[in-house]
Amino acid sequence: MFKRIDHIAFIVKDLAKSIYFYEEHFGFKKYYEHDVPVPAIEKIAYLKLGDTVLELIHMPKGPTNQGFHFCLESENFTADYTRLKNAGIPVTTEPHPTGAREPREEGWRRVVFEGLDGESIEFRG
């Protein structure tokens, strides 16, 4: 049976800018990049944060990621929120309480920021 999601993939218009964005603001690190023999896709880059992997599909003329989101868990919600807000990353949903799906999540809040290509970046903690 399956045991976990291996990676989450989405389209980016500017690969270098997106790699910098996720490394600088969210702590991901690029660990692999390759060309793709498909006309619409220029490259694919993989970034890692712990066991979480993002696959950035470089499609300069591709569609936007409207309606797509992923969620990160924060160790320090207030500090992470303040740092990203001060960096000028647009907030689409302000911080608010969120329901606990399990006991360790009691008292958590959630917030949603907008990524460079329309993706929503939620975090909870």
Side-chain angles (χ1 to χ4, degrees), residues 24-69:
E24 179 69 17
H25 299 295
F26 295 93
F28 283 87
K29 297 294 177 210
K30 183 180 90 170
Y31 70 96
Y32 185 70
E33 183 177 316
H34 64 92
D35 294 324
V36 179
V38 176
I41 301 173
E42 291 190 10
K43 286 185 178 283
I44 292 179
Y46 293 90
L47 287 71
K48 191 178 276 193
L49 175 68
D51 289 335
T52 301
V53 175
L54 297 181
E55 176 183 342
L56 305 182
I57 303 168
H58 186 207
M59 292 179 70
K61 295 179 177 27
T64 63
N65 296 299
Q66 295 298 324
F68 173 83
H69 91 276

Short mmCIF file of all heavy atoms in Angstrom, two decimals, residues 24-69:
data_model
loop_
_atom_site.label_atom_id
_atom_site.label_comp_id
_atom_site.label_asym_id
_atom_site.label_seq_id
_atom_site.Cartn_x
_atom_site.Cartn_y
_atom_site.Cartn_z
N GLU A 24 14.86 31.18 -0.05
CA GLU A 24 15.02 32.36 0.80
C GLU A 24 13.93 32.50 1.85
O GLU A 24 14.20 32.81 3.00
CB GLU A 24 15.06 33.62 -0.08
CG GLU A 24 15.21 34.91 0.68
CD GLU A 24 16.58 35.09 1.33
OE1 GLU A 24 17.54 34.39 0.96
OE2 GLU A 24 16.69 35.95 2.23
N HIS A 25 12.68 32.29 1.46
CA HIS A 25 11.57 32.59 2.35
C HIS A 25 10.99 31.39 3.09
O HIS A 25 10.35 31.56 4.13
CB HIS A 25 10.44 33.28 1.57
CG HIS A 25 10.87 34.58 0.97
ND1 HIS A 25 11.23 35.68 1.72
CD2 HIS A 25 11.02 34.95 -0.32
CE1 HIS A 25 11.57 36.67 0.92
NE2 HIS A 25 11.45 36.25 -0.32
N PHE A 26 11.21 30.18 2.58
CA PHE A 26 10.58 29.01 3.19
C PHE A 26 11.56 27.92 3.61
O PHE A 26 11.17 26.91 4.16
CB PHE A 26 9.52 28.42 2.25
CG PHE A 26 8.37 29.37 2.03
CD1 PHE A 26 8.38 30.23 0.94
CD2 PHE A 26 7.31 29.43 2.91
CE1 PHE A 26 7.34 31.13 0.74
CE2 PHE A 26 6.27 30.32 2.72
CZ PHE A 26 6.29 31.18 1.64
N GLY A 27 12.85 28.10 3.33
CA GLY A 27 13.86 27.16 3.80
C GLY A 27 14.08 25.93 2.93
O GLY A 27 14.82 25.03 3.32
N PHE A 28 13.46 25.86 1.76
CA PHE A 28 13.72 24.74 0.85
C PHE A 28 15.12 24.86 0.26
O PHE A 28 15.68 25.96 0.19
CB PHE A 28 12.70 24.74 -0.31
CG PHE A 28 11.34 24.22 0.07
CD1 PHE A 28 10.39 25.06 0.62
CD2 PHE A 28 11.03 22.89 -0.12
CE1 PHE A 28 9.13 24.58 0.96
CE2 PHE A 28 9.78 22.40 0.22
CZ PHE A 28 8.82 23.25 0.77
N LYS A 29 15.68 23.75 -0.19
CA LYS A 29 16.98 23.73 -0.86
C LYS A 29 16.87 22.91 -2.14
O LYS A 29 16.36 21.78 -2.12
CB LYS A 29 18.07 23.11 0.03
CG LYS A 29 18.33 23.89 1.30
CD LYS A 29 18.93 25.24 1.00
CE LYS A 29 19.12 26.02 2.29
NZ LYS A 29 19.02 27.44 2.12
N LYS A 30 17.35 23.48 -3.24
CA LYS A 30 17.35 22.73 -4.50
C LYS A 30 18.37 21.60 -4.41
O LYS A 30 19.50 21.80 -3.97
CB LYS A 30 17.71 23.64 -5.67
CG LYS A 30 17.65 22.91 -7.02
CD LYS A 30 18.01 23.83 -8.16
CE LYS A 30 19.50 23.74 -8.36
NZ LYS A 30 19.98 24.37 -9.56
N TYR A 31 17.96 20.39 -4.83
CA TYR A 31 18.89 19.27 -4.80
C TYR A 31 19.02 18.57 -6.15
O TYR A 31 19.91 17.75 -6.32
CB TYR A 31 18.52 18.26 -3.71
CG TYR A 31 17.27 17.47 -3.96
CD1 TYR A 31 17.32 16.19 -4.52
CD2 TYR A 31 16.02 17.99 -3.64
CE1 TYR A 31 16.17 15.45 -4.74
CE2 TYR A 31 14.87 17.26 -3.86
CZ TYR A 31 14.95 16.00 -4.41
OH TYR A 31 13.80 15.29 -4.63
N TYR A 32 18.14 18.92 -7.11
CA TYR A 32 18.25 18.28 -8.42
C TYR A 32 17.52 19.13 -9.45
O TYR A 32 16.49 19.74 -9.15
CB TYR A 32 17.63 16.87 -8.37
CG TYR A 32 17.79 16.08 -9.63
CD1 TYR A 32 19.03 15.60 -10.03
CD2 TYR A 32 16.70 15.80 -10.45
CE1 TYR A 32 19.18 14.87 -11.20
CE2 TYR A 32 16.84 15.06 -11.62
CZ TYR A 32 18.09 14.60 -11.98
OH TYR A 32 18.23 13.88 -13.14
N GLU A 33 18.09 19.18 -10.67
CA GLU A 33 17.47 19.92 -11.77
C GLU A 33 17.82 19.20 -13.06
O GLU A 33 18.92 18.69 -13.20
CB GLU A 33 18.02 21.35 -11.79
CG GLU A 33 17.43 22.24 -12.84
CD GLU A 33 17.96 23.67 -12.74
OE1 GLU A 33 18.07 24.21 -11.63
OE2 GLU A 33 18.29 24.22 -13.81
N HIS A 34 16.86 19.16 -13.99
CA HIS A 34 17.15 18.50 -15.27
C HIS A 34 16.32 19.10 -16.38
O HIS A 34 15.26 19.69 -16.15
CB HIS A 34 16.95 16.99 -15.18
CG HIS A 34 15.53 16.57 -14.92
ND1 HIS A 34 14.64 16.29 -15.93
CD2 HIS A 34 14.85 16.38 -13.76
CE1 HIS A 34 13.48 15.94 -15.41
NE2 HIS A 34 13.57 15.99 -14.09
N ASP A 35 16.81 18.94 -17.62
CA ASP A 35 16.06 19.34 -18.81
C ASP A 35 14.98 18.31 -19.07
O ASP A 35 15.08 17.16 -18.62
CB ASP A 35 16.99 19.42 -20.03
CG ASP A 35 18.02 20.53 -19.90
OD1 ASP A 35 17.69 21.60 -19.34
OD2 ASP A 35 19.15 20.34 -20.36
N VAL A 36 13.96 18.72 -19.81
CA VAL A 36 12.85 17.83 -20.10
C VAL A 36 12.63 17.80 -21.62
O VAL A 36 12.56 18.86 -22.23
CB VAL A 36 11.56 18.31 -19.39
CG1 VAL A 36 10.38 17.41 -19.71
CG2 VAL A 36 11.79 18.38 -17.90
N PRO A 37 12.53 16.62 -22.22
CA PRO A 37 12.35 16.54 -23.67
C PRO A 37 10.88 16.74 -24.09
O PRO A 37 10.34 15.97 -24.87
CB PRO A 37 12.84 15.13 -23.99
CG PRO A 37 12.51 14.35 -22.78
CD PRO A 37 12.70 15.31 -21.62
N VAL A 38 10.24 17.76 -23.55
CA VAL A 38 8.86 18.09 -23.88
C VAL A 38 8.86 19.56 -24.30
O VAL A 38 9.38 20.40 -23.57
CB VAL A 38 7.93 17.89 -22.66
CG1 VAL A 38 6.51 18.31 -22.96
CG2 VAL A 38 7.97 16.44 -22.19
N PRO A 39 8.30 19.90 -25.45
CA PRO A 39 8.39 21.27 -25.97
C PRO A 39 7.94 22.37 -25.00
O PRO A 39 8.58 23.40 -24.90
CB PRO A 39 7.50 21.24 -27.21
CG PRO A 39 7.49 19.83 -27.64
CD PRO A 39 7.59 19.01 -26.38
N ALA A 40 6.86 22.18 -24.26
CA ALA A 40 6.33 23.24 -23.40
C ALA A 40 7.12 23.41 -22.10
O ALA A 40 7.04 24.45 -21.46
CB ALA A 40 4.87 22.97 -23.08
N ILE A 41 7.87 22.39 -21.70
CA ILE A 41 8.60 22.42 -20.42
C ILE A 41 10.08 22.61 -20.70
O ILE A 41 10.68 21.86 -21.46
CB ILE A 41 8.38 21.12 -19.61
CG1 ILE A 41 6.89 20.92 -19.32
CG2 ILE A 41 9.17 21.17 -18.31
CD1 ILE A 41 6.57 19.59 -18.68
N GLU A 42 10.70 23.60 -20.04
CA GLU A 42 12.14 23.84 -20.24
C GLU A 42 13.00 23.01 -19.29
O GLU A 42 13.98 22.42 -19.69
CB GLU A 42 12.44 25.32 -20.10
CG GLU A 42 11.87 26.13 -21.24
CD GLU A 42 12.35 27.56 -21.26
OE1 GLU A 42 13.28 27.92 -20.51
OE2 GLU A 42 11.78 28.33 -22.05
N LYS A 43 12.65 23.02 -18.01
CA LYS A 43 13.41 22.29 -16.99
C LYS A 43 12.48 21.91 -15.87
O LYS A 43 11.38 22.44 -15.74
CB LYS A 43 14.53 23.16 -16.40
CG LYS A 43 15.72 23.39 -17.29
CD LYS A 43 16.79 24.17 -16.51
CE LYS A 43 18.02 24.37 -17.32
NZ LYS A 43 18.86 23.20 -17.43
N ILE A 44 12.96 21.03 -15.02
CA ILE A 44 12.29 20.71 -13.76
C ILE A 44 13.34 20.78 -12.66
O ILE A 44 14.46 20.28 -12.83
CB ILE A 44 11.64 19.32 -13.80
CG1 ILE A 44 10.47 19.33 -14.79
CG2 ILE A 44 11.18 18.90 -12.41
CD1 ILE A 44 9.77 18.00 -14.93
N ALA A 45 12.98 21.42 -11.56
CA ALA A 45 13.87 21.49 -10.40
C ALA A 45 13.14 20.91 -9.19
O ALA A 45 11.93 21.07 -9.05
CB ALA A 45 14.29 22.93 -10.13
N TYR A 46 13.91 20.24 -8.34
CA TYR A 46 13.37 19.65 -7.13
C TYR A 46 13.99 20.35 -5.93
O TYR A 46 15.20 20.50 -5.85
CB TYR A 46 13.67 18.15 -7.07
CG TYR A 46 12.96 17.37 -8.14
CD1 TYR A 46 13.54 17.17 -9.38
CD2 TYR A 46 11.70 16.83 -7.90
CE1 TYR A 46 12.89 16.46 -10.38
CE2 TYR A 46 11.04 16.11 -8.89
CZ TYR A 46 11.64 15.93 -10.12
OH TYR A 46 10.99 15.23 -11.10
N LEU A 47 13.12 20.76 -5.00
CA LEU A 47 13.55 21.42 -3.78
C LEU A 47 13.06 20.59 -2.60
O LEU A 47 11.98 20.00 -2.65
CB LEU A 47 12.95 22.83 -3.68
CG LEU A 47 13.54 23.89 -4.60
CD1 LEU A 47 13.17 23.66 -6.04
CD2 LEU A 47 13.09 25.25 -4.17
N LYS A 48 13.86 20.58 -1.53
CA LYS A 48 13.53 19.74 -0.38
C LYS A 48 13.53 20.57 0.90
O LYS A 48 14.37 21.44 1.10
CB LYS A 48 14.54 18.60 -0.27
CG LYS A 48 14.16 17.52 0.71
CD LYS A 48 15.19 16.40 0.73
CE LYS A 48 14.88 15.44 -0.40
NZ LYS A 48 15.62 14.18 -0.29
N LEU A 49 12.58 20.26 1.77
CA LEU A 49 12.50 20.81 3.13
C LEU A 49 12.15 19.62 4.02
O LEU A 49 11.01 19.15 4.00
CB LEU A 49 11.42 21.90 3.22
CG LEU A 49 11.15 22.46 4.60
CD1 LEU A 49 12.35 23.26 5.10
CD2 LEU A 49 9.90 23.33 4.57
N GLY A 50 13.12 19.10 4.74
CA GLY A 50 12.90 17.86 5.48
C GLY A 50 12.54 16.76 4.50
O GLY A 50 13.27 16.51 3.54
N ASP A 51 11.39 16.13 4.71
CA ASP A 51 10.92 15.08 3.80
C ASP A 51 9.96 15.62 2.73
O ASP A 51 9.43 14.85 1.94
CB ASP A 51 10.20 13.98 4.59
CG ASP A 51 11.15 13.14 5.41
OD1 ASP A 51 12.34 13.07 5.05
OD2 ASP A 51 10.71 12.55 6.40
N THR A 52 9.72 16.92 2.73
CA THR A 52 8.80 17.53 1.78
C THR A 52 9.55 17.93 0.51
O THR A 52 10.57 18.60 0.59
CB THR A 52 8.12 18.77 2.39
OG1 THR A 52 7.42 18.37 3.57
CG2 THR A 52 7.17 19.42 1.43
N VAL A 53 9.03 17.53 -0.65
CA VAL A 53 9.68 17.83 -1.92
C VAL A 53 8.71 18.62 -2.82
O VAL A 53 7.56 18.21 -3.01
CB VAL A 53 10.12 16.54 -2.65
CG1 VAL A 53 10.68 16.84 -4.03
CG2 VAL A 53 11.16 15.80 -1.81
N LEU A 54 9.19 19.73 -3.35
CA LEU A 54 8.48 20.49 -4.36
C LEU A 54 9.14 20.24 -5.70
O LEU A 54 10.36 20.28 -5.81
CB LEU A 54 8.53 22.00 -4.08
CG LEU A 54 7.89 22.52 -2.81
CD1 LEU A 54 8.03 24.03 -2.74
CD2 LEU A 54 6.44 22.09 -2.71
N GLU A 55 8.33 19.98 -6.71
CA GLU A 55 8.82 19.86 -8.09
C GLU A 55 8.36 21.11 -8.83
O GLU A 55 7.16 21.34 -8.99
CB GLU A 55 8.23 18.61 -8.76
CG GLU A 55 8.63 18.48 -10.21
CD GLU A 55 7.99 17.28 -10.89
OE1 GLU A 55 7.52 16.35 -10.20
OE2 GLU A 55 7.95 17.27 -12.13
N LEU A 56 9.31 21.94 -9.23
CA LEU A 56 9.00 23.16 -9.95
C LEU A 56 9.13 22.88 -11.44
O LEU A 56 10.22 22.59 -11.94
CB LEU A 56 9.95 24.29 -9.54
CG LEU A 56 10.03 24.60 -8.04
CD1 LEU A 56 10.98 25.76 -7.80
CD2 LEU A 56 8.66 24.86 -7.45
N ILE A 57 8.02 22.97 -12.15
CA ILE A 57 7.98 22.69 -13.58
C ILE A 57 8.09 24.02 -14.32
O ILE A 57 7.17 24.84 -14.27
CB ILE A 57 6.67 21.97 -13.96
CG1 ILE A 57 6.53 20.68 -13.15
CG2 ILE A 57 6.62 21.70 -15.46
CD1 ILE A 57 5.15 20.05 -13.25
N HIS A 58 9.22 24.23 -14.98
CA HIS A 58 9.48 25.51 -15.66
C HIS A 58 8.78 25.54 -17.01
O HIS A 58 9.23 24.94 -17.98
CB HIS A 58 10.98 25.72 -15.81
CG HIS A 58 11.33 27.06 -16.34
ND1 HIS A 58 12.48 27.30 -17.04
CD2 HIS A 58 10.68 28.25 -16.30
CE1 HIS A 58 12.54 28.56 -17.39
NE2 HIS A 58 11.44 29.16 -16.95
N MET A 59 7.66 26.28 -17.05
CA MET A 59 6.87 26.45 -18.28
C MET A 59 6.59 27.94 -18.44
O MET A 59 5.57 28.44 -17.95
CB MET A 59 5.55 25.68 -18.19
CG MET A 59 5.68 24.19 -18.20
SD MET A 59 4.07 23.34 -18.08
CE MET A 59 3.37 23.72 -19.67
N PRO A 60 7.50 28.69 -19.08
CA PRO A 60 7.31 30.13 -19.21
C PRO A 60 5.97 30.54 -19.81
O PRO A 60 5.44 31.60 -19.51
CB PRO A 60 8.47 30.57 -20.11
CG PRO A 60 9.51 29.52 -19.89
CD PRO A 60 8.74 28.25 -19.69
N LYS A 61 5.39 29.71 -20.67
CA LYS A 61 4.11 30.03 -21.30
C LYS A 61 2.98 29.14 -20.78
O LYS A 61 1.91 29.06 -21.38
CB LYS A 61 4.23 29.89 -22.82
CG LYS A 61 5.17 30.91 -23.44
CD LYS A 61 5.26 30.71 -24.93
CE LYS A 61 6.08 31.67 -25.69
NZ LYS A 61 7.14 32.39 -25.20
N GLY A 62 3.21 28.49 -19.65
CA GLY A 62 2.21 27.59 -19.10
C GLY A 62 1.12 28.31 -18.35
O GLY A 62 1.17 29.52 -18.16
N PRO A 63 0.10 27.56 -17.90
CA PRO A 63 -1.01 28.15 -17.14
C PRO A 63 -0.58 28.55 -15.73
O PRO A 63 0.49 28.16 -15.27
CB PRO A 63 -2.04 27.02 -17.09
CG PRO A 63 -1.22 25.77 -17.18
CD PRO A 63 -0.04 26.12 -18.07
N THR A 64 -1.42 29.33 -15.07
CA THR A 64 -1.14 29.70 -13.68
C THR A 64 -1.62 28.59 -12.76
O THR A 64 -2.30 27.66 -13.20
CB THR A 64 -1.83 31.02 -13.30
OG1 THR A 64 -3.24 30.83 -13.41
CG2 THR A 64 -1.37 32.17 -14.18
N ASN A 65 -1.30 28.71 -11.51
CA ASN A 65 -1.63 27.69 -10.52
C ASN A 65 -2.84 28.08 -9.67
O ASN A 65 -2.92 27.71 -8.50
CB ASN A 65 -0.42 27.45 -9.62
CG ASN A 65 0.76 26.89 -10.39
OD1 ASN A 65 0.68 25.82 -10.96
ND2 ASN A 65 1.86 27.62 -10.42
N GLN A 66 -3.75 28.83 -10.23
CA GLN A 66 -4.94 29.24 -9.47
C GLN A 66 -5.67 28.02 -8.93
O GLN A 66 -5.88 27.05 -9.64
CB GLN A 66 -5.87 30.07 -10.35
CG GLN A 66 -5.26 31.39 -10.79
CD GLN A 66 -4.92 32.32 -9.65
OE1 GLN A 66 -5.63 32.38 -8.64
NE2 GLN A 66 -3.82 33.03 -9.77
N GLY A 67 -6.04 28.08 -7.66
CA GLY A 67 -6.76 26.98 -7.03
C GLY A 67 -5.85 25.92 -6.43
O GLY A 67 -6.31 25.05 -5.72
N PHE A 68 -4.54 26.02 -6.68
CA PHE A 68 -3.59 25.04 -6.16
C PHE A 68 -3.02 25.57 -4.85
O PHE A 68 -2.70 26.75 -4.73
CB PHE A 68 -2.45 24.83 -7.15
CG PHE A 68 -1.34 23.97 -6.60
CD1 PHE A 68 -1.44 22.59 -6.62
CD2 PHE A 68 -0.23 24.55 -6.03
CE1 PHE A 68 -0.43 21.80 -6.09
CE2 PHE A 68 0.79 23.77 -5.50
CZ PHE A 68 0.68 22.39 -5.53
N HIS A 69 -2.88 24.71 -3.86
CA HIS A 69 -2.19 25.12 -2.64
C HIS A 69 -1.48 23.92 -2.01
O HIS A 69 -1.78 22.77 -2.30
CB HIS A 69 -3.15 25.77 -1.64
CG HIS A 69 -3.79 24.83 -0.66
ND1 HIS A 69 -4.92 24.10 -0.95
CD2 HIS A 69 -3.45 24.50 0.60
CE1 HIS A 69 -5.26 23.37 0.10
NE2 HIS A 69 -4.37 23.60 1.06
#
